[in-house]
Amino acid sequence: MARVLTPDGPELSWRRARTPRPVDQEGERLAAEMARPTGALQRHPDDGWVFADPYPLSVDLVSAFHGLIRALIPPAPVVPDVEVRIEQQVRRMMPYMQPLIAFGFTVVLRTLDLAPLWRGRALKRLRDMAPADASALLEELEKSRVGPISDMVVAVRAAVLAPYYDLDELAAHVGYRAEPFMRDRVALRRRLVAGGEARPEDHIGPYSDRVRALVRDAAEGDDEGGGDVSTEDER
Amino acid sequence: MNLYRHADYAREQVFDADVVVVGTGAGGAAAGAELAEAGLDVIFVEEGGYHPTGSFNPYMTESVPRLYRDAGTTAILGRPAIPYMEGRCVGGTTVINGGMAYRAPDEVLTGWERLTRDAAYGPSGMAPVFDEVEEMISARRQRPESIGDDNRIMHLGAEKLGWKSELNPRAQDRCVGTNNCVLGCPTGGKQSALVSTMPRAMRAGARCLTELRVERLIVEGGRCVGVVGRSPDPRTRRALREVTVRARAVVVAAGAIHTPYLLLGQKVGRPSRQLGRNFLCHPNAKVMAYYPFDVKAWQGVSQWSQVREFRNEGILFAENMIPPWPVGAALPWHGEKSMELLERYNQMLVTGVLVEDSTTGRVTRGPLGMPITRYDITDWDFHRFVEGVRRLSELHFAMGADLLVLPFRGAHLARSMDDVRKVTVDTVKKHHIELFTVHLMGTARLGSHPDDSVVDPNGQLWDLPGCYVSDASLFPTAVGVNPQVTIMALAVQVGRRLAERLLHQRARTAA
Ligand SMILES: Cc1cc2nc3c(=O)[nH]c(=O)nc-3n(C[C@H](O)[C@H](O)[C@H](O)COP(=O)(O)OP(=O)(O)OC[C@H]3O[C@@H](n4cnc5c(N)ncnc54)[C@H](O)[C@@H]3O)c2cc1C
Ligand code: SF4
């Protein structure tokens, strides 16, 4: 059977013979800017983009949210203003969500705040419980056989713990020091692009005797044709 | 002026071009660059913002809302639901992807050639285009100074077990292993569309309208002649400004979910009823492994290699380390238990089991501008996930891991292979597996006949002349490998054919 194609349909007449747009300086400037590393690594980059205002939440809902944050974050290390900082970050993300999802999130906050009541656990809201008790209740809900109950805890947990571990204090606490490392690597790439070579100290790790031994064994095995751990094919 | 943002639409709301390209991701940017370099006047319309390489940083605070659709809160419905990630910025998902650069295998392309009756989509037709695409994005293996200990453990672990582990070609030029690919490469090493194809288009005089979401196509006299979009106020995300772009041809490249979403609203793609169907997504399950020594997996490139031993079964393993914040969000604990594991962040590896689709899902239009995507994994997929997790766990324990977090609700912790073996298709439920995906494909499939496909071999909609598709939606079937290179190769072909057609028409008119 012969190949068919979409019939062309009515053809548009070219109102004027177009010439290609001239290669202008603005196009050149943009092309260069798109790819240029600066190594600035700012948390709030200044590229002309405007960050949305926080999603509106009532004072009562904010208080419910703070209660959930207290219940979900680890008791240590102690971080100043942690509840407000997490709440603000989440509220800044919410305007970018689908409106239905953002609204659904507020319903989940309210529902979980009232969990001690509908779960028959206590005659108070979750925000009024001791954080350890509230945390235990959320753990129990997360294990619920009723999918939507468990899903609510999973959603709020992710929404709270992601910005929590993104805080400078927490990243440092867990040993993630991305900024100085990345700054060095941006400088390294600049050197490579300028025609330089990587130095031995530019290599990453090995960080343990165990991996050092593995690499050594592999390199020895290499003589017999295996274990290459540093192959690159430059075309 | 070449780049427009929300504020600029106060002055200018009507634009005119030869071609308007909706979306600046892998497919849109590649097609647009071809069209602009052919001498056509091209306007890109991009829903997301413009964020150059110099703005990338390791923090989620602004990176996630800037770069990710819906601030990363997107999910596919099904049992289990599958969260997915998509870029929303100039450069699309390539800005946040891992850069693995694989060609669709020949056996897949042979099927595509048969389905499209077009040799250009078969192994011999695609090979030279793959060569060009790989050149464009500098696809190559990593330099030694970009490799970290997690890469070494995975690769040597596979070797120890006698499994095939292949070094990945990646879209990178002197990548130095900062491992920030998912928040934008701050060194300019990753050759995303932002760094490779979009600059080409801009140099050729293309314009890019950012922060503008296309909401409908303009159809006149049975032909697609433009698009209408709205730009939200950046502060309130409301108070919309309407913008119209008229053109001789419209290329829709909004990704495999938003392309069918837009077209379904137009009531096109009807003859075959395939628009939105054939949704493919390569679901993925994570295994987090803890070792009794420092690995510092956040230093060094993500996915230096892939374990491809089980490729015949449609199973791949790879490591892809992520910052503490997504680890904290993904771990199934809060409070002290969460901190206990995060305090071992420097000793952990994040690895994944990727399974090739054995079924398809569907994208439909939901309320309030929301696409609804449905996909249910099959029993066979579930079996492969359980089996894949078991084998990947074997690798970790063989390399000395002391604790694994498995992706099964109710059976998360494993301290030995005995614990892992307890997890079988009989002991865990299918909907208790925790999956996610980053490869969305196949919802406006290419084909040779209007009865079984959405677009013709030129990428043009069967029932809407002037409207073309140029993104992952084109895939007629699953590819089983990372899709970016294949998407770009299809887009290059669609872009070139369209350019040829338009230039021919122009020459005829001029004559
Ligand atoms: C974390 C992650 C890692 C990945 N790793 C790899 C990898 O290593 N290798 C690989 O091959 N693939 C990888 N992928 C997948 C790959 O990046 C995508 O498959 C590919 O970019 C899809 O290309 P596309 O052109 O279909 O869509 P996209 O690249 O998603 O581009 C679509 C664009 O259209 C815009 N848009 C959508 N709707 C509209 C509208 N209505 N109006 C205007 N604009 C609109 C979007 O904002 C977006 O910019 C990864 C993906 C993710 C998320
Ligand atoms: S590992 Fe770092 S340098 Fe390499 S591509 Fe990713 S972000 Fe860029």
Side-chain angles (χ1 to χ4, degrees):
Chain A
M1 193 169 74
R3 192 161 65 90
V4 280
L5 290 172
T6 307
D8 250 349
E11 201 170 286
L12 287 184
S13 66
W14 293 84
R15 285 183 297 278
R16 59 194 151 93
R18 284 170 200 279
T19 42
R21 290 168 57 78
V23 177
D24 49 43
Q25 284 180 340
E26 170 69 355
E28 282 292 344
R29 187 195 66 74
L30 269 172
E33 182 188 75
M34 283 175 166
R36 189 185 311 122
T38 60
L41 306 174
Q42 290 157 305
R43 199 182 260 278
H44 299 283
D46 179 17
D47 61 2
W49 189 74
V50 181
F51 204 7
D53 294 336
Y55 188 89
L57 291 184
S58 67
V59 174
D60 186 57
L61 208 50
V62 166
S63 159
F65 192 15
H66 284 198
L68 279 160
I69 294 170
R70 280 193 299 275
L72 287 165
I73 62 171
V78 175
V79 180
D81 303 324
V82 66
E83 294 144 35
V84 176
R85 286 161 76 189
I86 294 175
E87 168 231 311
Q88 283 292 321
Q89 171 65 18
V90 174
R91 288 176 62 189
R92 289 240 151 171
M93 312 264 280
M94 287 171 74
Y96 297 95
M97 298 176 188
Q98 288 285 349
L100 218 53
I101 302 287
F103 175 72
F105 186 72
T106 65
V107 174
V108 168
L109 294 182
R110 178 75 67 204
T111 310
L112 288 179
D113 185 43
L114 299 177
L117 298 167
W118 55 258
R119 202 68 186 178
R121 186 56 45 86
L123 281 174
K124 51 182 156 187
R125 296 168 299 185
L126 191 119
R127 72 182 95 162
D128 301 319
M129 294 175 90
D133 295 341
S135 174
L137 176 58
L138 290 178
E139 193 172 331
E140 181 193 309
L141 295 178
E142 202 256 334
K143 292 194 180 116
S144 165
R145 282 165 184 275
V146 183
I149 293 183
S150 168
D151 290 346
M152 283 196 293
V153 181
V154 171
V156 177
R157 183 180 67 204
V160 167
L161 292 186
Y164 173 74
Y165 286 111
D166 188 52
L167 296 172
D168 286 335
E169 295 93 324
L170 266 297
H173 181 79
V174 304
Y176 178 62
R177 296 172 204 281
E179 224 182 281
F181 172 69
M182 286 188 190
R183 208 154 272 139
D184 281 355
R185 303 314 277 181
V186 171
L188 167 61
R189 181 160 187 277
R190 269 202 201 114
R191 262 195 358 253
L192 297 176
V193 170
E197 284 300 316
R199 300 168 305 210
E201 62 270 30
D202 294 324
H203 287 250
I204 298 167
Y207 287 114
S208 62
D209 291 340
R210 179 68 199 254
V211 175
R212 223 166 277 127
L214 286 169
V215 173
R216 200 180 45 238
D217 293 350
E220 280 162 14
D222 231 13
D223 300 337
E224 293 136 41
D228 185 354
V229 288
S230 61
T231 316
E232 171 203 20
D233 70 352
E234 288 284 5
R235 282 181 313 163
Chain B
M1 188 158 167
N2 295 50
L3 188 99
Y4 293 74
R5 299 170 198 259
H6 174 80
D8 301 315
Y9 307 128
R11 286 190 303 275
E12 217 174 332
Q13 289 112 24
V14 181
F15 295 82
D16 191 25
D18 291 334
V19 186
V20 55
V21 180
V22 182
T24 59
E34 293 297 324
L35 288 155
E37 285 180 347
L40 291 157
D41 182 13
V42 173
I43 288 186
F44 290 98
V45 181
E46 170 53 56
E47 182 181 352
Y50 164 59
H51 308 295
T53 295
S55 70
F56 297 145
N57 63 77
Y59 306 108
M60 74 167 275
T61 313
E62 285 196 33
S63 302
V64 170
R66 278 166 173 259
L67 306 178
Y68 282 72
R69 171 166 301 284
D70 302 347
T73 56
T74 37
I76 298 164
L77 304 182
R79 276 169 74 81
I82 308 178
Y84 69 89
M85 259 75 78
E86 232 187 351
R88 180 167 66 185
C89 55
V90 172
T93 308
T94 67
V95 170
I96 55 161
N97 81 6
M100 256 56 65
Y102 278 97
R103 299 175 176 205
D106 278 358
E107 63 270 20
V108 171
L109 297 177
T110 305
W112 289 11
E113 180 170 354
R114 195 168 29 78
L115 287 169
T116 57
R117 293 174 197 277
D118 191 332
Y121 299 115
S124 56
M126 289 283 272
V129 190
F130 280 143
D131 288 344
E132 282 184 66
V133 167
E134 287 168 355
E135 191 74 39
M136 281 175 208
I137 58 171
S138 179
R140 62 186 67 197
R141 290 176 178 165
Q142 293 292 129
R143 297 166 66 100
E145 64 271 15
S146 65
I147 296 160
D149 279 3
D150 56 338
N151 302 139
R152 297 181 177 109
I153 290 173
M154 274 299 276
H155 188 63
L156 295 174
E159 280 200 346
K160 184 171 178 179
L161 296 174
W163 295 346
K164 183 166 143 197
S165 170
E166 265 181 36
L167 303 186
N168 288 322
R170 290 184 68 249
Q172 54 90 22
D173 173 16
R174 286 162 279 203
C175 156
V176 283
T178 48
N179 204 341
N180 203 53
C181 303
V182 293
L183 291 185
C185 174
T187 71
K190 186 173 76 178
Q191 299 298 293
S192 66
L194 175 74
V195 170
S196 58
T197 36
M198 281 305 284
R200 269 176 52 207
M202 300 320 279
R203 281 198 186 93
R207 287 168 284 175
C208 186
L209 315 188
T210 68
E211 301 173 21
L212 180 62
R213 175 176 168 79
V214 170
E215 293 194 334
R216 64 185 168 84
L217 308 176
I218 307 173
V219 180
E220 284 171 7
R223 200 184 162 83
C224 187
V225 294
V227 298
V228 177
R230 282 171 188 272
S231 177
D233 179 289
R235 297 207 85 98
T236 61
R237 306 287 297 158
R238 294 202 194 107
L240 307 163
R241 263 179 204 151
E242 194 172 275
V243 175
T244 302
V245 186
R246 297 187 70 87
R248 311 181 57 75
V250 174
V251 176
V252 182
I257 292 184
H258 285 269
T259 286
Y261 178 81
L262 177 64
L263 297 176
L264 283 165
Q266 213 71 32
K267 309 219 182 319
V268 288
R270 283 185 153 177
S272 65
R273 301 181 155 273
Q274 284 289 309
L275 181 60
R277 292 178 198 262
N278 188 43
F279 172 75
L280 304 157
C281 71
H282 289 168
N284 203 316
K286 285 259 161 290
V287 174
M288 303 198 204
Y290 289 83
Y291 284 75
F293 47 83
D294 266 2
V295 180
K296 296 197 183 175
W298 52 277
Q299 301 186 8
V301 66
S302 191
Q303 292 205 37
W304 171 54
S305 61
Q306 266 178 4
V307 178
R308 295 168 79 87
E309 177 70 16
F310 310 106
R311 172 86 185 79
N312 287 346
E313 296 163 61
I315 302 174
L316 295 176
F317 303 148
E319 59 72 34
N320 32 25
M321 194 53 191
I322 44 178
W325 59 267
V327 172
L331 280 172
W333 297 281
H334 60 262
E336 264 167 9
K337 283 187 192 157
S338 151
M339 182 54 83
E340 234 171 73
L341 288 174
L342 259 298
E343 279 174 343
R344 291 189 67 188
Y345 178 70
N346 273 325
Q347 301 182 333
M348 79 182 292
L349 256 72
V350 179
T351 56
V353 176
L354 194 108
V355 159
E356 186 177 334
D357 302 78
S358 69
T359 183
T360 59
R362 186 173 177 191
V363 177
T364 53
R365 280 177 76 91
L368 299 178
M370 205 161 87
I372 307 279
T373 311
R374 255 211 95 86
Y375 184 96
D376 289 296
I377 60 166
T378 61
D379 289 345
W380 164 231
D381 299 334
F382 180 46
H383 169 84
R384 286 185 296 167
F385 274 118
V386 171
E387 189 55 26
V389 167
R390 189 187 61 72
R391 291 178 198 164
L392 183 53
S393 305
E394 206 177 304
L395 183 153
H396 285 303
F397 284 124
M399 293 306 276
D402 58 29
L403 177 71
L404 303 186
V405 178
L406 307 180
F408 303 108
R409 253 190 207 188
H412 279 120
L413 282 180
R415 294 185 190 281
S416 68
M417 275 313 287
D418 287 341
D419 292 339
V420 178
R421 278 188 212 102
K422 284 183 200 143
V423 178
T424 69
V425 288
D426 300 318
T427 59
V428 285
K429 294 204 171 77
K430 191 159 77 179
H431 60 273
H432 283 173
I433 183 165
E434 292 159 353
L435 301 176
F436 79 102
T437 180
V438 295
H439 296 168
L440 315 165
M441 304 159 290
T443 46
R445 64 203 304 192
L446 269 170
S448 63
H449 202 276
D451 285 350
D452 58 14
S453 56
V454 179
V455 300
D456 74 8
N458 288 335
Q460 189 168 206
L461 256 78
W462 286 113
D463 55 350
L464 186 56
C467 183
Y468 293 75
V469 173
S470 170
D471 60 20
S473 327
L474 290 172
F475 286 14
T477 59
V479 279
V481 296
N482 311 67
Q484 176 186 338
V485 165
T486 311
I487 297 167
M488 291 181 71
L490 294 181
V492 165
Q493 308 235 46
V494 169
R496 284 189 185 156
R497 287 179 178 197
L498 175 57
E500 199 179 310
R501 227 169 174 188
L502 291 177
L503 291 170
H504 179 70
Q505 281 178 15
R506 180 158 79 184
R508 244 183 10 215
T509 310

